[in-house]
Amino acid sequence: LRSYALKQVGNEAIAMELVQDTMSNVWQKAHLFNADKGAPSTWIFTIARNLRFDMLRKLKNRKEDICSDDMWPILCEQTADPQETSLEEKITMQQIGALFDELPEKQKVVIEAIYIDGKSQQEVADELDIPLGTVKSRTRLALQRLKDMLTDND
């Protein structure tokens, strides 16, 4: 959860706040968990994702409150040496990119919006003017297809 939060927000302090809020929500809402609907980890990461969106909305409204420490990860990313990426990582990313191109167009659009643009499934449904269930189905099908293609190519 910490790793996920750090990747999503890029700031250690905000990431730890996200983890804290997530675990607090898990504790307070444990009675709402339904094992028939999915795994506990899926439920926890969904809570974290939703809290991340809430945090980003709050941060967006408080742009003037950003201090130099918040900018450090951004500056590090901008000045990072692009050759530091391992060869294995580059190959994997190229493989996924090639496999991604093989997905049906409708699935590609949904996956790109959710995982690259960071939009929620509801935002994608509203943007594409399709039902939320359709977005969820396309996401599930695309991820399953990518997983199958990766195992076939391994």
Side-chain angles (χ1 to χ4, degrees):
L1 189 58
R2 180 185 170 275
S3 175
Y4 167 80
L6 195 54
K7 284 181 185 176
Q8 294 300 312
V9 297
N11 178 302
E12 179 76 27
I14 297 173
M16 291 312 294
E17 184 178 341
L18 177 61
V19 170
Q20 176 88 22
D21 290 348
T22 301
M23 295 313 292
S24 176
N25 274 358
V26 167
W27 181 259
Q28 293 170 355
K29 298 179 181 184
H31 65 281
L32 298 175
F33 174 70
N34 183 351
D36 295 335
K37 292 184 178 180
S41 60
T42 305
W43 182 63
I44 292 170
F45 278 97
T46 301
I47 290 172
R49 192 182 107 242
N50 292 340
L51 286 171
R52 185 187 107 221
F53 287 132
D54 292 343
M55 290 177 96
L56 291 175
R57 277 188 214 104
K58 286 178 190 174
L59 289 173
K60 186 177 178 183
N61 292 334
R62 298 183 314 165
K63 287 182 182 177
E64 65 278 352
D65 292 345
I66 295 176
C67 66
S68 61
D69 291 342
D70 295 332
M71 296 301 290
W72 180 250
I74 296 168
L75 294 173
C76 289
E77 288 173 12
Q78 290 174 350
T79 59
D81 184 6
Q83 297 198 0
E84 286 183 21
T85 307
S86 71
L87 181 60
E88 185 177 312
E89 244 180 83
K90 287 179 182 176
I91 291 171
T92 303
M93 292 309 290
Q94 288 173 350
Q95 285 175 327
I96 292 173
L99 297 176
F100 180 76
D101 290 338
E102 294 180 28
L103 289 175
E105 190 61 32
K106 290 179 179 180
Q107 290 177 5
K108 277 198 287 192
V109 169
V110 169
I111 294 297
E112 202 169 327
I114 293 171
Y115 291 99
I116 296 174
D117 299 338
K119 296 179 181 175
S120 70
Q121 290 180 330
Q122 185 62 56
E123 290 172 327
V124 174
D126 294 342
E127 187 178 289
L128 298 176
D129 197 29
I130 58 177
L132 178 60
T134 302
V135 171
K136 291 180 178 190
S137 295
R138 288 179 185 172
T139 302
R140 183 181 48 77
L141 290 170
L143 292 177
Q144 185 61 50
R145 185 170 289 177
L146 283 172
K147 181 181 175 185
D148 292 345
M149 288 189 290
L150 279 172
T151 54
D152 290 346
N153 289 338
D154 223 7

